[in-house]
Every structure is written in structure tokens, then in C-alpha cells.
Amino acid sequence: MKKYTYTEKKDTRSGFGAGLLEAGRKNENIVALCADLIGSLKMGDFQKEFPDRFVQVGIAEANMIGIAAGMTIGGKIPFTGTFANFSTGRVYDQIRQSVAYSDKNVKICASHAGLTLGEDGATHQILEDIGMMKMLPGMTVINPCDYNQTKAATLAIAEHEGPVYLRFGRPVIPVFTPADQKFEIGKAWIVNEGTDVTIIATGHLVWEAILAGEKLAEEGINAEIINIHTIKPLDEEAILNSVKKTGCIVTCEEHNRYGGLGESVAQLLATQLPTPQEFVAVNDTFGESGTPADLMKKYGLDSTNIIEAAKKVMKRK
Amino acid sequence: MTTEISDLEKMASQVRRDIIKMVYECQSGHPGGSLGCADYLVALYFRVMKHNPEFNMDGTGEDLFFLSNGHISPVFYSVLARAGYFDIAELKTFRKLNSRLQGHPTTHEHLPGIRIASGSLGQGMSVAIGAALTKKINKDSGIVFSLHGDGELQEGQNWEAAMFAPFNKVDNLICTVDVNGQQIDGPTSKVLDLMNLEAKFLAFGWDVMHTDGNNMKELVATLEEAKSKTGNGKPIMILMKTEMGKGVDFMEGSHKWHGIAPNAEQLAEAFTQLEETFGDF
């Protein structure tokens, strides 16, 4: 097992904030909109440096999405920022009609996704957002795994023509991806090469997958760990190549098991290469208040669950 | 470009014929609101707006128009075709398979003149504000126009937008509400009364104007006055009284013709009431 170490822990939303500022410096057409959550989304630096390219819309997310769609007419590249719940479920129809169906170059940037939002509870812990966004034709869906990858993803989507959903979160987690790693939309990152089981993870679950891989290695199980940061378009080739070697797969995500990464992988494998699969995901339920760590444990999303799932799926080969 | 009021009225008559014929040929669509707004769209595209039928999405240096109440697509398509955005023969394809003229307007089929999809109501004011903000950032002197149904104002997003525009001094924006007092289930006064729209928009901080949307002379004067009022720190809202079904007596003033098509006899009867001025498609 390849060794991954880290020197600091950071939140992925700060990676977004840093990426947005840098993207804004590179391209004057980038504008940002926020619905009363500048601090939470880490958009303050962009606002300070580019006040004329920043729009505070207040607590009015539907209006924010519509304004963003309109701002593309004339060449702007709008980045909208609010919590994941208010970025998707609350404004699904606005995104569907004014952004996706209208082919608008809007970047919907969503923080506080999933259970790791923590104490605010289920009203804010959206676990269905990946599903909603990936169902929209033409929408790119990205869920990076740490600070560096979120920053790189933010820069990458700025240069990508078309609507994007970028999902990140609140908790501080290890920064383990190389700062100079190029972010290629739709291209998986092979975190560790292995032959016994494929573990595919997205977002905060990637670090848990690495921890699981280390434990499995101690037991002589050689796991191939793949970071799928782009859920749509899915890197089908990377997944198929891996399961050809390993013959079984575990998918890991901080999302409902319905509609998420695991479902996309299952559809791929069912049609291309039927393979035993286990899902580490939230089992069709709402979350609740608690610390991020307690929630990940209770809802079955930590490294222990990944280890169990890997052993289980290997028996099904 | 047509400029005289009498020429505009002639064009509006032809547009009304187009609307009836389009809806008749596919036996679906929304003639009522389309007929009511024919004068407004003709005034915009043949006199008031600075625009280029050699369409490009960004519309740099041009005035832009957004149709929020997308179901009145027949009037929009007819006016765009008559203004030279695409061949009038294409009006025949309205609502048929493989057409660029979808039931509700969309950019998805790349029909020249359309800059946003609309149909799901209540989204157009936000979009128009966004386009107006970009014009300001780009130091583009073009004005953004938009049209909304009165029933459509029951959608909450309008009021988010209505709050945003005055506070942010979006003063290169001229929104118009088609006040025809009708919606699918009946008169707006019975379904969900809009009460005092003028007082509402004034309270939100808009510059509010009134006009008769079926009187070309008055309408053009109002729109030109509205243009002259842009740049004064306030967005402009025109409350435009129209009659649903205007121009065809048996369709006038009733919600019943919101979304149904005429039969052959009704088409013939309607055509006797509307002069063919520029040739049917």
C-alpha cells in the first residue's frame, strides 16, 4: 500500500475559496454570487478583491440561479455559492430550465454537503444532491476529496465550458493530494494499485478509503483504491480496467445509496462487466445532529465500514 | 425597420394571423395571451429595441428581450421570424417533431433570437436582471426588456427578483407585466388576486408605469418614455393592460382561449377579422 501522509488538515470549502480567488485573477469574466453565506463558502477574499464582480443576492437562491444564468449572456462565468441543500433541492427547477436546458455556463458551487455538516442536522445535510444533479443532461458533477483537489477542481471548472455542480464540505480533513496534481475533469486518480478488491471513493470518503486500504494491507489484502472526483462524466475506463483485475468493487460516498456514485458504477458494470459490488453509502435515510465523526460512524461511512464491505464483496467473487 | 404606428399595426395584424395559424396547424398552443401581447412584441422588435437579427447569444451593444411567460411562444416566434431572425416558413414546424420551435422557447435547439428557456414560470425576471448586470459590468449601454404574465407573478421567485433589482439599482432594465387578468383556471381575481400591483412594485422600489398594451400609439410612447428613464437608479416596471385573445372577437377577454386551438371554421372566422398584411407563412 502506497503511503499517504499529511501535515495539515483543512476544509474543502477553503480550497474552493482559494481556487475561486485564483480563477478570478486569471480570468476577468469570472463573477461570483452568494446567498448570504459569504463566510461559510469562503468567498470573502474574492468579494474583497473583486467587489464589482461579486453579487450578494440575499437569502434568495432561486433568484441567484436565474441571475447567474442571465449573467452568462455577455460572456460572464458565474460561480454561485450556498449550502448544497439550497444549491440543488431548493432550486432544482431553476437549474433545470435556466441553466442546464438553456446550456448556460454556470458553476454551482455547494458547501456543507452530506452528513459532515454536523450539528445543524438533517434539514441541511443533503444526501440526494449528486443524484439530482447527475440526472440533468449536460451537467458535470464533481465531488473533490480534500483542500488541494477542491482548489484544483475550482480552477479546472473555470476553464470548462458548460454547467457544473461542484460539491464540497465543512469539516477539516487531511490534505493528502499533491498540491501540484493536475485536475482533469472526468479522469480518475488511482490512489493505490492493487489486485484483490477495487475501492472507489469520492469526496470525504477518499481519506477513509486510504485508511481502510492500510488496514487491509496489514491483513494481506491488496486493495486498488480509486478516487472518482468526477461522478459525471464517469471515468468508465478506469473502473472497468480495475475490476478486470480485481473482480469485485466497493463504492464509497457521503450520499444516499440511491442516486449517487455507487448507482452510476452499478449501471456501468451491469451493462459492461457484471461484477459483485458493495455500497458504502447512507441507506436511504435522513441524517441528524451530531459531530461529523459520530455521524460517519453511526451512518456507516467510516473506514471500518469500508473494510467490512471489502471483505464481504471479496467472498462474493 | 418599420417605424410608423400604422405600419406597426399592420405588422401586428399579420403576427396575429401567424399565431392563429400556428396554433391551428398543430392543434395545440396558447393563442389567448399571444394575441394580447402581439402589439407589445411588434413595438419592441420593429421600433423600440436596438437589435440585430444576425443573432449572437451575447448581444453585445444590443437591447435584449426575455420572455418569462414562455407559453406565449407563438407571438414570440412570429415576431422573431417577421423581424428576420429566421425564415417565416419555419413557423409551420411549431410544436412538431424535430422543430426548433418548441412548445415553449428554448436555446437548446439553437433558434436565433432565443437566449433562455422559459415555460416553467417565474424565472425570467431573475434572468433579465442577470443579463442587465453583465451589461453594466461590460459597460454596454444596451437595455434589457422582459415580459411576464400577471398570473405568473404568483410564483415567489418574481418577488425575490423584484426585491433585488431596485436595491441593486439595476436601472438598465424595463420589465413589463401583461395584465390581462386571466389565468388557466379563471380570472386572476378569482384564482389568487394580485391586488394592487402598482402599490406592490412601488413599495419594492420600482419606477412604475402604466400603458394600454393594445393601443399601439400609446404603447410605443410608453416604451420610448421608459427607455428615456433608464439610467436613473431604478428599474422600470410597466403594468400593461391587455385583452387576452385581442383581435379575434370570440377569443377576447376569456381565459377559455388560454391554451386551446381553434378548429377550421374558427380559423376561417378569425382570418376574416385580421387583415393579411405581409403574407401568411
Side-chain angles (χ1 to χ4, degrees):
Chain A
M1 172 79 191
K2 196 174 166 189
K3 190 74 188 156
Y4 283 90
T5 54
Y6 63 92
T7 53
E8 59 178 341
K9 288 184 170 185
K10 281 181 169 179
D11 45 0
T12 50
R13 59 179 168 158
S14 289
F16 163 69
L20 179 64
L21 180 65
E22 197 173 317
R25 286 174 178 162
K26 281 185 175 172
N27 186 346
E28 64 172 20
N29 280 325
I30 287 173
V31 295
L33 301 90
C34 189
D36 197 32
L37 286 170
I38 294 168
S40 297
L41 267 288
K42 305 292 180 189
M43 296 171 96
D45 290 342
F46 183 97
Q47 181 196 28
K48 201 180 291 173
E49 191 159 325
F50 306 111
D52 298 338
R53 288 155 52 189
F54 185 84
V55 184
Q56 166 64 276
V57 295
I59 310 165
E61 295 82 6
N63 191 38
M64 176 168 72
I65 297 297
I67 290 176
M71 287 188 88
T72 64
I73 299 163
K76 298 300 166 213
I77 305 170
F79 281 62
T80 66
T82 182
F83 289 164
N85 187 15
F86 315 136
S87 292
T88 58
R90 188 169 183 103
V91 292
Y92 192 75
D93 188 48
Q94 283 77 15
I95 295 175
R96 181 176 183 273
Q97 176 171 285
S98 293
V99 176
Y101 185 46
S102 291
D103 305 311
K104 296 304 182 203
N105 193 20
V106 175
K107 316 303 173 188
I108 297 154
C109 304
S111 186
H112 293 52
L115 292 173
T116 50
L117 160 84
E119 293 79 355
D120 278 345
T123 52
H124 290 51
Q125 289 162 339
I126 195 156
L127 296 165
E128 311 91 63
D129 54 326
I130 291 174
M132 282 187 275
M133 291 298 112
K134 80 175 188 181
M135 281 198 293
L136 290 169
M139 182 68 77
T140 295
V141 180
I142 297 173
N143 186 24
C145 65
D146 72 352
Y147 174 94
N148 285 342
Q149 194 177 76
T150 309
K151 185 179 174 190
T154 306
L155 288 161
I157 65 173
E159 290 179 8
H160 170 84
E161 178 73 30
V164 175
Y165 178 60
L166 181 68
R167 178 197 215 233
F168 42 90
R170 178 174 184 245
V172 290
I173 55 156
V175 180
F176 58 94
T177 64
D180 60 349
Q181 190 176 66
K182 189 170 156 40
F183 188 95
E184 212 177 319
I185 294 170
K187 191 82 184 149
W189 172 36
I190 312 293
V191 179
N192 187 60
E193 288 188 19
T195 50
D196 297 328
V197 57
T198 300
I199 299 174
I200 288 191
T202 192
H204 295 140
L205 272 283
V206 178
W207 180 250
E208 296 297 322
I210 290 171
L211 295 179
E214 287 170 355
K215 284 270 166 52
L216 288 165
E218 286 169 16
E219 298 180 34
I221 296 169
N222 187 8
E224 175 138 306
I225 301 169
I226 299 177
N227 168 215
I228 294 281
H229 47 66
T230 308
I231 291 150
K232 185 185 174 186
L234 193 63
D235 189 344
E236 300 186 349
E237 195 185 347
I239 295 167
L240 291 170
N241 285 341
S242 183
V243 298
K244 273 176 201 160
K245 279 195 297 184
T246 64
C248 62
I249 189 167
V250 176
T251 51
C252 316
E253 60 194 310
E254 191 183 346
H255 191 271
N256 194 342
R257 60 182 292 156
Y258 300 122
L261 169 66
E263 189 189 78
S264 290
V265 170
Q267 185 177 114
L268 168 71
L269 296 176
T271 52
Q272 304 284 322
L273 189 63
T275 305
Q277 179 179 355
E278 290 293 327
F279 297 76
V280 173
V282 175
N283 192 17
D284 198 26
T285 183
F286 291 105
E288 65 180 88
S289 293
T291 66
D294 285 348
L295 288 161
M296 295 296 264
K297 189 172 177 203
K298 175 167 178 178
Y299 289 86
L301 299 182
D302 64 15
S303 59
T304 318
N305 305 103
I306 299 173
I307 293 166
E308 280 171 18
K311 289 178 177 171
K312 189 175 173 192
V313 81
M314 282 171 68
K315 287 186 191 140
R316 291 175 53 206
K317 277 204 243 185
Chain B
M1 281 277 169
T2 318
T3 50
E4 295 301 316
I5 296 296
S6 59
D7 292 333
L8 295 173
E9 286 169 343
K10 279 181 192 150
M11 181 54 76
S13 180
Q14 187 61 52
V15 165
R16 286 189 164 93
R17 286 179 71 95
D18 289 348
I19 292 165
I20 300 288
K21 193 173 171 198
M22 287 164 77
V23 172
Y24 168 75
E25 289 204 349
C26 63
Q27 281 298 296
S28 78
H30 298 79
S34 296
L35 291 168
C37 292
D39 304 305
Y40 168 80
L41 273 144
V42 166
L44 277 188
Y45 277 85
F46 290 89
R47 171 116 171 204
V48 177
M49 284 204 321
K50 179 176 61 178
H51 67 104
N52 184 1
E54 295 296 317
F55 178 73
N56 77 81
M57 180 56 78
D58 286 341
T60 304
E62 296 180 52
D63 295 337
L64 307 180
F65 170 72
F66 294 95
L67 181 69
S68 188
N69 46 335
H71 57 275
I72 67 165
S73 56
V75 64
F76 195 14
Y77 294 148
S78 166
V79 167
L80 286 174
R82 298 282 170 186
Y85 280 81
F86 54 89
D87 194 331
I88 59 168
E90 196 168 345
L91 296 176
K92 282 191 200 100
T93 70
F94 175 58
R95 284 186 172 244
K96 291 177 182 163
L97 197 62
N98 301 321
S99 173
R100 299 196 293 180
L101 280 61
Q102 291 291 298
H104 294 81
T106 175
T107 56
H108 208 64
E109 314 301 333
H110 307 291
L111 184 69
I114 312 289
R115 290 192 164 88
I116 196 82
S118 59
S120 177
L121 294 171
Q123 299 185 28
M125 200 183 297
S126 305
V127 173
I129 288 169
L133 289 177
T134 285
K135 285 208 176 284
K136 279 180 172 283
I137 295 172
N138 290 346
K139 307 204 182 324
D140 178 333
S141 63
I143 294 168
V144 177
F145 292 85
S146 63
L147 180 64
H148 313 263
D150 51 357
E152 184 185 11
L153 295 180
Q154 291 158 2
E155 291 282 7
Q157 185 181 344
N158 288 299
W159 301 100
E160 295 182 1
M163 199 182 301
F164 179 97
F167 176 71
N168 288 283
K169 299 186 168 52
V170 186
D171 58 5
N172 53 345
L173 175 68
I174 302 173
C175 299
T176 297
V177 176
D178 172 22
V179 184
N180 63 21
Q182 306 291 335
Q183 58 188 113
I184 295 178
D185 278 352
T188 51
S189 60
K190 295 252 172 69
V191 177
L192 181 60
D193 197 351
L194 299 157
M195 307 254 180
N196 190 336
L197 277 181
E198 180 184 26
K200 282 184 166 77
F201 282 108
L202 283 173
F204 275 73
W206 292 69
D207 190 337
V208 181
M209 301 173 72
H210 294 267
T211 197
D212 179 346
N214 297 132
N215 177 328
M216 190 61 84
K217 194 174 171 195
E218 183 182 328
L219 180 57
V220 166
T222 305
L223 288 167
E224 288 185 342
E225 189 189 345
K227 265 183 96 163
S228 74
K229 291 170 105 176
T230 56
N232 288 333
K234 283 184 175 189
I236 295 158
M237 175 61 68
I238 301 173
L239 300 176
M240 178 177 79
K241 190 104 184 65
T242 72
E243 191 153 16
M244 189 177 254
K246 182 71 184 177
V248 180
D249 60 7
F250 61 88
M251 291 185 176
E252 282 178 6
S254 164
H255 67 273
K256 293 193 181 90
W257 287 92
H258 168 90
I260 61 164
N263 60 29
E265 272 173 54
Q266 289 164 330
L267 172 75
E269 171 61 24
F271 270 15
T272 66
Q273 298 175 30
L274 297 165
E275 189 189 351
E276 183 179 352
T277 46
F278 292 92
D280 289 334
F281 66 82

